[in-house]
Amino acid sequence: MPEPDDEGAGQQQQPKAGPALEGLVVGSYCHDVLLRGGRVVGETLGGAAAFVSNVLDAASPPEASFSVVSKVGPDFAYASAPAPARHPPLLCPARPTTSFHARFSDAAASAHAPDRQLRRVHACDPIYPEDLPDRRFAYGLAVGVAGEVLPETLERMIRLCRAVLVDAQALIRAFDAEGDGSGAAVRHVALEGTPYAGLLQRVAFLKASSEEAPYVGVETARRRCCVIVTEGRDGCRLYWDGGEARVAPFPAVQVDPTGAGDSYLAGFAAGLLWGLSATDAALLGNFFGAAAVSQVGVPTFHPKMLQAVKRILEDKAMPRSSPCINGAAFTFQRSIMHDELHASLEEAARLMRDQSPPATENGDGILLAQEPTSPPSGC
C-alpha cells in the first residue's frame, strides 16, 4: 500500500501528524433535483460527500474521526437545520452550489427507475490542493461528482494520506457544453486518457459501478491498485493483481438509487477501519449501499439497526491495534468468518427494512427527504 509521499521533504515543512485513525473526505455537497416528464418529483441534499459522511458517522469505530472538505455557494439550500452540522462546507461567495437534475422518462414505472439522464445545472468552484488541511491522515476518500477533485488535489491527498480510496466518478466524468440552458449532460471518458491515470499506482482502492467499469479498464487498473466494481443487486467484485473475489449482496427495496455507490465506499472504508480484510469489508459496503436506496436522499439509519451492526463488528472484526487501513499492507482475501459475517449483517438488514420510514409526499406529490444539515463556513 502506498505510503505518504515525502518527495521534496527538504524543500518545505512537512505536514504534522493527525490522530491515528483520522480520515479526509474530499468532494462537494450538491442540490439534487429529480424530474419526470418535466415535473419535479424530489429535491434533496446530494453530493457523494453527504452520503459518505453519513455512513462514516454511523459505522466507524469509536476511536476514528474524519474531516470533510466540501464547497457550496451562498444559495446552499441546506444551510440551516434543527440539528447542528458536524461537517460544514466551505462557502464560495461568487459561485452557486453544484446542482444536478436527474431526468426520467414518462414511460418509466417510477421516478427512481435506473434509466435516467443526469445533467449538471450548476458547478461550484473546484477543490484546490490548498483547501486541504495541512496534516497527515490515516486514509482519504476522493469522492467528487462534478469534476471538483482536480488531479493536483488528488495528488495532494496521496501525499497527506496513508491510504487513498477513490470513486471512479471523480476521475472519468465529463460534461458536455451547455447549449439549451438545461445543463451539461454527464458522460464518461476513458481513465487512461486523463491526468488521473498516472496516480493509480499510488491509490489503494478504486471503486467503479458496472456502468463505469469499461471506462476504468479493470484489467489494466488492477495491476496498479485494487479495483472494486459494484453490481447493484448482484453485490460487488474485487480485482487485484493476482486475485479476485465476488461478494454477495443484501436485499433491498429500492426507492432512490442516488448515493448507493457513495454509501458503499464509505461502508467499505468503515470495514477497513474495524480491521476487516478488503473482501470482508466489501460486505459492509454492500450493506450500506443497500440501506441507501431504501430512502430518498441521504438516508436516516435506525438506531437499533446501527447498534446491531456495531455489535456484529465488535464481535467479528479483528483487533484494531493496527487496522488494515492504517497498516503497511492490506489483506484482500476473505476470512474464515466471511459467511458468518454476511449472515449476521443479513439479520441487521432485515431490521433495517422493517424499520425504514417510507418516502413521503407533500401536497404537490413531491417526494420529501430528511431535514438538511451542514451549514457552510467561509472559504
Side-chain angles (χ1 to χ4, degrees):
M1 178 181 64
E3 292 290 333
D5 193 335
D6 289 326
E7 182 182 350
Q11 301 176 9
Q12 58 183 353
Q13 184 177 1
Q14 291 301 295
K16 64 182 180 179
L21 282 183
E22 184 182 11
L24 176 64
V25 177
V26 179
S28 287
Y29 299 136
C30 304
H31 293 159
D32 281 353
V33 180
L34 289 75
L35 303 101
R36 182 173 60 188
R39 176 171 170 266
V40 174
V41 295
E43 298 183 56
T44 69
L45 170 65
F51 289 91
V52 166
S53 59
N54 183 54
V55 173
L56 289 178
D57 277 334
S60 296
E63 66 269 32
S65 63
F66 64 97
S67 297
V68 176
V69 178
S70 182
K71 287 186 174 180
V72 300
D75 62 334
F76 188 49
Y78 301 86
S80 59
R86 295 184 179 182
H87 311 288
L90 300 173
L91 175 63
C92 300
R95 299 288 298 175
T97 301
T98 298
S99 176
F100 282 94
H101 285 186
R103 300 176 182 274
F104 300 85
S105 67
D106 286 321
S110 165
H112 308 288
D115 54 331
R116 62 178 183 176
Q117 293 184 337
L118 192 63
R119 289 185 174 271
R120 186 186 68 181
V121 178
H122 299 295
C124 197
D125 283 344
I127 298 171
Y128 299 104
E130 55 267 28
D131 293 321
L132 306 185
D134 191 28
R135 63 180 182 274
R136 298 291 196 190
F137 294 88
Y139 70 99
L141 280 82
V143 291
V145 293
E148 71 268 29
V149 180
L150 303 174
E152 54 267 36
T153 303
L154 178 58
E155 184 171 19
R156 178 63 176 162
M157 288 185 68
I158 292 169
R159 291 176 181 270
L160 293 176
C161 303
R162 182 176 294 275
V164 175
L165 296 76
V166 182
D167 195 318
Q169 68 183 358
L171 314 183
I172 64 171
R173 276 189 173 182
F175 304 91
D176 292 335
E178 302 176 34
D180 58 1
S182 63
V186 179
R187 59 184 176 86
H188 296 140
V189 298
L191 178 58
E192 282 300 309
T194 72
Y196 300 101
L199 298 173
L200 276 192
Q201 65 268 25
R202 298 160 64 192
V203 164
F205 295 94
L206 176 66
K207 193 275 301 177
S209 68
S210 56
E211 179 185 358
E212 295 163 340
Y215 299 91
V216 166
V218 174
E219 290 305 315
T220 298
R222 71 190 294 182
R223 295 196 292 269
R224 303 173 185 171
C225 65
C226 180
V227 180
I228 305 168
V229 179
T230 57
E231 299 177 331
R233 66 185 61 191
D234 294 322
C236 68
R237 294 181 185 271
L238 283 72
Y239 302 88
W240 62 92
D241 192 13
E244 63 183 74
R246 179 187 177 275
V247 180
F250 295 92
V253 177
Q254 179 168 297
V255 175
D256 180 4
T258 306
D262 310 320
S263 299
Y264 171 95
L265 187 60
F268 176 78
L272 296 179
L273 286 169
W274 280 94
L276 300 177
S277 74
T279 302
D280 290 348
L283 283 173
L284 201 61
N286 283 347
F287 179 90
F288 280 103
V293 305
S294 65
Q295 300 176 43
V296 178
V298 180
T300 299
F301 302 125
H302 195 283
K304 288 186 178 179
M305 183 271 284
L306 291 180
Q307 290 170 7
V309 170
K310 290 201 171 182
R311 282 196 301 268
I312 292 166
L313 293 170
E314 288 169 352
D315 179 53
K316 307 296 183 187
M318 299 294 290
R320 299 188 301 278
S321 58
S322 180
C324 297
I325 206 164
N326 201 31
F330 288 97
T331 300
F332 295 107
Q333 288 83 2
R334 56 189 284 166
S335 71
I336 59 174
M337 58 86 181
H338 182 90
D339 292 337
E340 186 179 351
L341 177 60
H342 181 268
S344 298
L345 288 173
E346 201 162 43
E347 288 297 320
R350 290 193 185 97
L351 182 64
M352 173 182 65
R353 292 194 301 274
D354 292 342
Q355 298 177 336
S356 292
T360 58
E361 295 187 0
N362 66 9
D364 298 319
I366 297 177
L367 289 167
L368 302 176
Q370 66 186 54
E371 288 292 331
T373 58
S374 308
S377 60
C379 278

